[in-house]
Amino acid sequence: PILAEMLIKKAPKVSDDELGFVFPQVVRAFAQLEISHRPLLKMVATRCQKQSVLREMNDWGLCVVTWSYSNVFQDVEFSEFRNSLRAEIARRGTISEEMISRSQLGPDEWQT
């Protein structure tokens, strides 16, 4: 998709803080539409592997990225990224499996 290519092109210019806000929304949209654009998913995983991005990501963002890569984008090549996501969830100690599952509903509905 053209959107994915545009995001990949612009991503190097986006700060880690902005990525922690933008990537979860993009990943959720692609997961809900079941669009597996490998280059985009790899770029997201690579950029989010940086500890600073995961640590700065809000709880909903962390949950929805975890849900997306665990339930829709299950490729073996993302197993290390899934481990990083799970490690950050464990570090926070406040995120439940139900929160991860409900995150697909969106940032406003997931905790209601």
Side-chain angles (χ1 to χ4, degrees):
I2 294 171
L3 174 62
E5 297 301 328
M6 289 172 54
L7 290 168
I8 291 168
K9 187 175 182 179
K10 292 199 177 278
K13 300 173 188 162
V14 178
S15 73
D16 288 349
D17 289 343
E18 291 173 307
L19 291 178
F21 177 75
V22 173
F23 280 171
Q25 296 177 53
V26 170
V27 168
R28 174 182 175 243
F30 275 68
Q32 288 188 320
L33 295 171
E34 296 183 3
I35 298 172
S36 183
H37 189 276
R38 216 170 203 64
L40 176 68
L41 296 173
K42 287 176 80 168
M43 186 268 302
V44 169
T46 299
R47 288 290 301 269
C48 287
Q49 283 284 102
K50 292 175 63 177
Q51 199 173 38
S52 61
V53 175
L54 290 182
R55 284 186 182 245
E56 295 299 320
M57 196 177 283
N58 65 32
D59 286 350
W60 175 78
L62 181 60
C63 286
V64 79
V65 171
T66 301
W67 177 83
S68 298
Y69 278 83
S70 298
N71 294 286
V72 181
F73 311 127
Q74 298 177 331
D75 308 49
V76 173
E77 73 180 297
F78 300 123
S79 60
E80 185 178 326
F81 181 47
R82 281 190 288 276
N83 291 339
S84 295
L85 293 165
R86 289 293 176 174
E88 179 59 20
I89 287 168
R91 187 193 70 78
R92 293 185 191 191
T94 57
I95 296 175
S96 68
E97 288 300 316
E98 182 179 359
M99 291 168 76
I100 293 168
S101 180
R102 290 183 54 80
S103 67
Q104 65 184 302
L105 301 174
D108 296 328
E109 295 84 6
W110 76 294
Q111 286 191 313
T112 59

